[in-house]
Amino acid sequence: MTSDRRIQMREIYPFLAEKTLRVIEGTAEERINFLDEKHWVGYPKAAEIHSAMLQSLNVPSGDRAHSRLIVSESYNGKTWVLEHFFKLIRRDSNIKADALGGVVLYVIAPPVADERRLLREIILSTRSPQYAQGTAFDMWGQLESLFKNLNIRMIIIDECQRILAGTTVQHIVCQEVIKHIDNKFHIPMFLAGMPSSLAAVSFDPQIENRFLPIALPLWAMDANYYNLLTALEKFIPLRKQSKISENMAMLSKIHDLSGGKIGETYQLLKLMTIHELKRRREIIDEESLQAVQADSFLMRSSLLHDSIQRPNIRV
């Protein structure tokens, strides 16, 4: 798109985000595909978490690291916040990131508490799969070698409630992995998970004291939620401005249906948009919401969850 055309498009669609302009005159299929892309919408709680993580990165090497536990209900933006921070760090030229994983390692906890599997996921996050093999003892040796050779300054472990998914012995062993990394390498660790993750770290007082929780609460029906909807609307690839955030009855209904969760809020907007694109209609409104509500297949909570393994909008 030429600069002149971009200016023209901005004049025609002043209510859309710059990246949405790329597809707004595309086909319905292209615009539906756009809804599956990841879009960042910042908000105060996300900024607070990012600030805490940046402060931890700035702790001098060798000092006691500032580690935290981020707690959130499912589909309420936890992973969105973490992944966006990870991408920002890797793009920041002021923080040297190397080609093997950079200063920050982003790890998804294995589905079952297991020392070897947890170590393997940490090693794989360095993009060094050749070292992710052998016994747990072998992997500890490989991990220590990698930490010496790479400029690793933070580890993020998401879905840490999975540490509970095993026997008590497995649970304790995985806690010891976290505690040993914290003690040996003196780098900040940010654990994140659902509310049950509080129990995952509470078995050991040393771990519990090191990982002070930061909560990502459900969204209240207030000015913050209004601002969220206003921001999300910029990524709705429809040619007419819907102004959902200015319709208080509709805003309240979306809040109720989503349970105050950011992932499900976006999923509702996505379903309404798809419904109207298929009808060749360029706006979403009360009629769109009623149509989505009437489709019990779409609105069943479990199926709604299955359709978004991760929120498309990463906070």
Side-chain angles (χ1 to χ4, degrees), residues 17 22 138 161 204 313:
R22 299 195 324 256
D138 295 331
Q161 75 277 353
D204 188 322
I313 321 202

Side-chain angles (χ1 to χ4, degrees), residues 204-217:
D204 188 322
Q206 290 186 44
I207 294 179
E208 186 177 20
N209 292 336
R210 293 177 194 181
F211 293 93
L212 299 177
I214 305 176
L216 264 177

